[in-house]
Amino acid sequence: MFIRGKKTALVTGASSGMGKDIAKKLIKDGFQVYVAARGVEKMTDLSALGARPLRLDVSKEGEIKTAVDTILAETGGVDVLVNNAGFGLYGPVEDIALDEARYQFEVNLFGAARLTQLLLPSMRAKRAGTIVNVTSMGGKIYSVLGAWYHATKHALEGWSDCLRLEVAQFGIRVVIIEPGVIETGFGDIASNNLLKRSAGSPYAGLAQKVANSIANTYGHGTGSPGTVVANAVSRALKAKKPKTRYAVGKYAKMLLGMRKWLSDRAFDGIIMSQTK
C-alpha cells in the first residue's frame, strides 16, 4: 500500500526496455514507484518488487486522467515524473499518413505534456519535484527515413528546455536523458514496420537499406543495456544540481559531438554512408 509522505515516482512505458530498468532502479533507490503502460500484464515482475502498475495509454486523455487521479488520491502526487513512453515511426514522408504522424506526436510528445500538466500543481504546492524526459540522441541528430520520429524527439527537447525555465521558480527541476543505441525492441519494430509501409513504394530500395542498417545497429548485444539509462536517471535525481542533459549509451556522445562540430553537408554524408 502506497503512503503519503514517502518519495514517489511515476515511470511511463515501464512494460519493457528502458522504462522497466528505470523503474527497477528507482525501487532500489527507495522510491515507491507507479509503473504505467498499456500492457499491465507485462509489469508483474515490477509489481513483485513493490511497484504499483497502472494501465495507461498516453495517447488517451481518459486513461491519463484516471491514472493521475489514482496517484493524487493515494499519495497526493509524485516527486518524480519520468516521461519515458515512446516509439519510433520510420518511413518516407511521402508514404506516411498524417494520422500516423499525429499518433507519433500523441505518444512521444503530447502524452508527456498532458501528464506533466496534471502533475505539476502538486509539485508546485510542495515547491519541489523533478521531471525527467527521455528523448534520444535523435532529438539532436537525424537519420534517413526517420522524419516523424526525429520531429517528435526534437520537439520534446525544445519543449523540455522551455518547461525548465518556467518551473524553476517553483523549485521544480527538468532533466533530459538522451539515450544512444540501447538494447530494446526499438530496432526490430522500426525496421519491420518500415519495410511493410514502403513495400512497392518508390522508396522501397532505400527502405531496405535503412532496415538493414537498423538491423546491424540494434540487437546482437551490440548496443548498451537499458541500465545505463536507469543509472543516469538515478544520478540526476541524487544530484544537488543535476545536469540539464545526460547523453548515455552507445554512440550518443560521439554522434552528438559530430553533429555539433561538423557542417550539415559533412554530417549528411556520414548518415547516408550507413545506407550503402
Side-chain angles (χ1 to χ4, degrees):
M1 189 72 177
F2 281 11
I3 59 174
R4 291 174 181 264
K6 185 177 180 180
K7 291 191 301 180
T8 303
L10 167 62
V11 181
T12 67
S15 60
S16 64
M18 296 183 296
K20 181 161 287 194
D21 286 327
I22 293 169
K24 288 179 179 178
K25 180 60 177 173
L26 295 189
I27 292 169
K28 187 175 180 180
D29 286 348
F31 285 87
Q32 53 185 11
V33 181
Y34 288 96
V35 288
R38 291 182 300 174
V40 176
E41 68 283 354
K42 296 179 181 179
M43 298 187 289
T44 54
D45 55 335
L46 297 176
S47 181
L49 294 174
R52 170 86 152 82
L54 297 173
R55 186 178 303 279
L56 176 59
D57 182 335
V58 295
S59 71
K60 296 181 178 178
E61 170 73 16
E63 292 191 15
I64 292 174
K65 189 68 166 57
T66 297
V68 171
D69 286 346
T70 298
I71 293 169
L72 294 177
E74 293 179 352
T75 64
V78 299
D79 301 283
V80 175
L81 167 61
V82 181
N83 287 310
N84 167 73
F87 76 101
L89 174 64
Y90 272 71
V93 168
E94 188 176 344
D95 291 345
I96 294 177
L98 288 184
D99 282 346
E100 284 189 276
R102 291 187 183 99
Y103 180 68
Q104 173 83 126
F105 270 91
E106 287 292 341
V107 174
N108 287 11
L109 177 65
F110 294 121
R114 187 60 178 141
L115 274 171
T116 300
Q117 285 181 328
L118 294 175
L119 289 168
L120 265 175
S122 61
M123 289 185 177
R124 280 194 295 102
K126 292 186 294 186
R127 300 192 70 82
T130 303
I131 298 165
V132 179
N133 292 326
V134 180
T135 61
S136 166
M137 63 179 179
K140 290 289 187 64
I141 66 170
Y142 47 88
S143 60
V144 188
L145 302 186
W148 290 115
Y149 169 70
H150 288 285
T152 62
K153 293 302 186 179
H154 277 68
L156 185 56
E157 289 261 343
W159 182 84
S160 300
D161 285 332
C162 294
L163 178 67
R164 183 179 65 255
L165 302 181
E166 293 176 20
V167 301
Q169 62 183 313
F170 304 115
I172 300 168
R173 309 183 300 184
V174 178
V175 173
I176 298 168
I177 306 292
E178 299 171 326
V181 176
I182 307 296
E183 286 299 312
T184 67
F186 178 90
D188 289 338
I189 295 171
S191 60
N192 290 340
N193 289 337
L194 166 62
L195 292 175
K196 290 177 183 177
R197 187 174 290 107
S198 299
S201 161
Y203 302 91
L206 180 60
Q208 183 62 65
K209 292 177 182 178
V210 171
N212 291 342
S213 177
I214 292 174
N216 290 332
T217 302
Y218 289 88
H220 321 296
T222 55
S224 298
T227 52
V228 301
V229 178
N231 290 336
V233 173
S234 179
R235 289 198 305 275
L237 296 179
K238 292 174 182 176
K240 186 175 181 180
K241 291 184 177 180
K243 298 178 183 178
T244 299
R245 285 172 169 78
Y246 292 79
V248 295
K250 189 173 182 179
Y251 299 140
K253 292 180 179 179
M254 180 185 75
L255 284 173
L256 290 174
M258 291 169 65
R259 181 68 191 103
K260 181 178 180 180
W261 296 110
L262 294 179
S263 68
D264 291 343
R265 183 171 295 177
F267 194 77
D268 283 357
I270 290 171
I271 296 302
M272 287 304 295
S273 71
Q274 303 306 305
T275 64
K276 294 180 180 178

